[in-house]
Amino acid sequence: MLRPLLIALLALALVPAAASAAVVEIQVTPAGGADFGETHAVTGKLTGPYGAPLVGREVRLEIRRYPYKTPFVPAGTATTGLDGRFAFEHAFDRNHQVRVLAPEFGDRSEVAPVYVFPRTSLTFSLVRRNVIRIVQTYRTPKSVRLTAPTLFYVGKAGKPRAPLAAKAKTKAVKRKVKGKKKRKRVKGRFRASADVRIPASWKGRFRYASCFPYNAGMGNPKLGCPKKRYKF
């Protein structure tokens, strides 16, 4: 009596699992990240279980903002082309996670990271003979607060590397408020500066750079700042 049951179980084991109705592949550009205010492209392809492109199908972009504790929310729709491809353009204000849903099939892509760096400006001025002041300014979303220090590197002109010359606090920019003694913090604006002495032997010729590590949900957490020398 057990033999027919055993044969039936073996037959069921040989039946392959049902393949997914659709495969959604995505790519984020630029993969390394973009500055605050710039856009990212989320592109990809929708195919059937055997690789054939699915044409004229709706796909939806879903996003989740740092610190990734809230549900994904829809951020746009697109239609696949003759090759099954689709594209979205989106300006993210901070690091995000993204994925694409094919609602007709209920299939989603893998989750991909989106990195957004503060918008920066690096300048210098002459303080006195052989001493320069390097200033790094940042612009971020109003809800962001940068706390990590800014690192400055200064080297002789023509050299491929510059040693670490100073580490400065990254502070919120403040402005005067009419009728008040205290300055008011300008949301989304930060600044760091450092005075650096230039050797007289360089004859006023130098090159400089700055680095700000991943902080407050902006930038790529896999990237860090050089501890000793910056490579141009």
Side-chain angles (χ1 to χ4, degrees), residues 38-57:
E38 297 178 345
T39 60
H40 280 80
V42 181
T43 59
K45 188 175 183 180
L46 180 65
T47 59
Y50 303 106
L54 297 176
V55 183
R57 309 301 175 93

Side-chain angles (χ1 to χ4, degrees), residues 10-83:
L10 289 173
L12 287 173
L14 293 174
V15 176
S20 174
V23 178
V24 190
E25 301 175 352
I26 65 169
Q27 182 178 10
V28 176
T29 308
D35 290 342
F36 173 59
E38 297 178 345
T39 60
H40 280 80
V42 181
T43 59
K45 188 175 183 180
L46 180 65
T47 59
Y50 303 106
L54 297 176
V55 183
R57 309 301 175 93
E58 180 185 288
V59 289
R60 298 177 186 172
L61 176 65
E62 299 179 332
I63 66 176
R64 180 165 64 178
R65 193 172 186 266
Y66 175 89
Y68 319 128
K69 295 181 179 180
T70 56
F72 280 88
V73 296
T77 61
T79 303
T80 58
L82 295 177
D83 54 0

